Amino acid sequence: MSFHAVDQRLPLVRQAAFGLQHVLIMYTGCITVPLVFGAAAGLDKSTVALLISADLLIAGIITIIQSLGVGKLAGARLPIVCGATFAGLTPMILIAEEYGLQAVYGSMLAGGVVGLALAVPFARLIRFFPPLVTGVVLTVVGISLIGVAAGLIVGNDPTADTFADPGNIMLAGVVVLVAIAFLCLGRGIWTQLGVLLALVIGTLVAIPMGLIDLGDVSGSPWFGITAPFHFGAPEFPITAVVAMSIVMAVVFAESTASMLALGEITGKPLTKGDVARGLVGDALSGVLGGIFNAFVDTIFTQNVGAVATTRVHSRYVTATSGAILIVLGLIPKMGTVVAALPAPVVGGVGIILFSTVAVVGMNTLRKVDLSDRINTTIVAVSVGIGLLPEFAEGMFEHFNSSAQILLGSGITLAAISAFSLNLLFNHTRIGATARAASAPVIAADPVPPTSEEPHVAARA
């Protein structure tokens, strides 16, 4: 009996290696959200450590649900790795400042419940997410994330002594070259593990450079998990609940594009039911995150890039990643060791993976008739709008918190723009009228000249 590549199990050692590779790729992005939120909320280090443990635990649980599925209820059953989304970061900080941490996690829980109710209706919109829309979103996602990779390599504080350090830039370059060597010149498993090998070799090179800091390992506990509702009984201010419900809708849009991309990458067409179960997984992260003091999860696009790069499509690999994340969440000391990976090394790998996401988006756009001026306009406008916040950071900081949720993410803007314009010009009479008006007019066949016309012309 033959199985689709998505459903095939790999030998245990390979499955563990590929699963670890996925974790190392997404780990920094996953723990950044609790680190930034903890700093903004004024939490002490021990509390931030608990948030990180909860974050990893819930990310692991949701990753397993998305990979293996829970009956007909939840999980897209695709090679998916989930982690904390940045889409919820700004509203969570604003809610914490206005109402306190009990409202943060109460509104997250409520947003998750709203997401559970909206998952099936949202999935019915899948026909409005053709390659024109998903291609735009993935292209913007990939290009936007390159800035994240640059920040890991160069640094984000221009006043720091290590900012734009040539050694860090050269280290990232070495990582890129090693990854290229394995991905392009390797054979079999060596190609598939190229990203992991680049991480390992880059880390070894970083040791004599003094970029490995294991000072926090000894201070990390061996076991740690936050108790449910660690900050007290949840509270549900209406404004906060609406804000986190909007976050959930944004996550749904991003995840839908990622799931459709994975369907194309793996060659497994998705049904509305598959998408709905995947969105239920996202919503569950809100419910569990609200209870266990974690964060709303989304499908990590860097791992979508890893699936495309390595061509390892087994969902059991990402389920293994989920198990590793759970272990890291329950044993903070191990998580601290992984967090010690040098930022330039992770950034070097990120350049390849994030760019791969953009290439997947461009390849998706090849299925679109770009000779059609309306389709070309939709792509150009949506990509431009999506990249605008990336090149003009803080452009919406004077808008109210609800507007910032929608406008602060270029990915969200690209999704809204492409979805709306596609709906307007490809699903209504407006588009048909516009195309008909711009269609070239075919002139009638010229009337053959009479026998007298040549004589007239000659006399002229």
Side-chain angles (χ1 to χ4, degrees):
M1 182 179 179
S2 61
F3 292 92
H4 192 281
V6 166
D7 300 316
Q8 289 183 335
R9 297 175 184 266
L10 275 63
L12 185 59
V13 174
R14 289 193 178 191
Q15 188 163 299
F18 291 133
L20 177 61
Q21 179 172 253
H22 272 294
V23 170
L24 294 178
I25 288 167
M26 59 80 69
Y27 189 86
T28 300
C30 189
I31 67 171
T32 297
V33 173
L35 285 172
V36 174
F37 174 73
L43 303 178
D44 57 56
K45 287 187 176 180
S46 61
T47 304
V48 173
L50 288 175
L51 292 184
I52 292 174
S53 295
D55 175 37
L56 295 172
L57 176 65
I58 300 305
I61 291 172
I62 299 301
T63 295
I64 290 176
I65 289 174
Q66 293 284 34
S67 300
L68 301 183
V70 179
K72 296 181 178 181
L73 299 177
R77 290 181 174 84
L78 287 170
I80 287 173
V81 177
C82 295
T85 175
F86 282 88
L89 187 55
T90 298
M92 286 179 66
I93 293 172
L94 295 173
I95 292 169
E97 293 174 350
E98 183 72 19
Y99 302 105
L101 292 172
Q102 291 167 277
V104 169
Y105 289 103
S107 60
M108 185 186 300
L109 173 59
V113 173
V114 171
L116 289 174
L118 294 179
V120 173
F122 198 97
R124 289 175 181 167
L125 300 175
I126 190 172
R127 70 188 184 95
F128 298 117
F129 285 85
L132 176 63
V133 176
T134 58
V136 165
V137 173
L138 291 169
T139 301
V140 171
V141 167
I143 296 175
S144 300
L145 287 174
I146 292 173
V148 176
L152 290 169
I153 297 168
V154 178
N156 294 306
D157 182 6
T159 63
D161 294 336
T162 57
F163 182 78
D165 184 274
N168 291 346
I169 296 173
M170 291 179 64
L171 175 58
V174 169
V175 172
V176 171
L177 291 175
V178 171
I180 290 172
F182 281 106
L183 293 172
C184 297
L185 303 177
R187 294 290 183 272
I189 191 173
W190 297 109
T191 297
Q192 296 170 329
L193 286 175
V195 174
L196 176 60
L197 293 169
L199 282 167
V200 172
I201 293 173
T203 302
L204 293 175
V205 173
I207 293 175
M209 297 175 65
L211 296 178
I212 307 294
D213 183 9
L214 298 176
D216 293 335
V217 176
S218 59
S220 300
W222 279 104
F223 181 82
I225 183 173
T226 57
F229 304 118
H230 176 78
F231 299 103
E235 297 179 0
F236 307 95
I238 296 299
T239 302
V241 170
V242 171
M244 292 307 293
S245 297
I246 293 173
V247 167
M248 189 59 64
V250 171
V251 169
F252 276 9
E254 294 181 11
S255 290
T256 298
S258 295
M259 282 187 280
L260 293 174
L262 280 169
E264 293 183 13
I265 292 168
T266 61
K268 183 177 181 180
L270 300 185
T271 65
K272 294 177 184 177
D274 295 327
V275 174
R277 288 190 294 272
L279 298 180
V280 167
D282 286 342
L284 283 174
S285 73
V287 174
L288 294 176
I291 295 173
F292 290 99
N293 322 289
F295 301 85
V296 177
D297 288 338
T298 188
I299 299 171
F300 263 32
T301 47
Q302 51 262 58
N303 295 94
V304 175
V307 173
T309 301
T310 63
R311 299 183 182 181
V312 177
H313 299 164
S314 172
R315 59 193 175 97
Y316 295 100
V317 165
T318 51
T320 303
S321 302
I324 294 172
L325 286 170
I326 290 174
V327 171
L328 294 176
L330 294 175
I331 307 177
K333 194 176 289 291
M334 292 182 63
T336 306
V337 172
V338 176
L341 283 173
V345 173
V346 180
V349 167
I351 289 175
I352 296 175
L353 296 178
F354 300 156
S355 299
T356 299
V357 174
V359 171
V360 170
M362 295 173 191
N363 190 53
T364 302
L365 287 173
R366 291 175 59 193
K367 301 176 182 179
V368 180
D369 180 14
L370 293 180
S371 64
D372 180 287
R373 69 180 179 87
I374 291 179
N375 287 342
T376 302
T377 301
I378 293 173
V379 172
V381 170
S382 300
V383 170
I385 290 176
L387 292 178
L388 195 59
E390 306 303 325
F391 291 99
E393 186 177 352
M395 65 181 293
F396 298 113
E397 64 182 12
H398 296 299
F399 287 64
N400 63 44
S401 57
S402 297
Q404 286 185 48
I405 296 170
L406 288 174
L407 303 176
S409 167
I411 299 168
T412 303
L413 287 178
I416 293 173
S417 175
F419 177 84
S420 302
L421 292 175
N422 175 68
L423 191 65
L424 179 64
F425 288 107
N426 289 322
H427 292 275
T428 69
R429 293 183 178 180
I430 294 176
T433 302
R435 288 181 172 88
S438 63
V441 178
I442 301 176
D445 292 336
V447 178
T450 63
S451 58
E452 296 182 358
E453 285 182 338
H455 300 287
V456 173
R459 286 195 300 270

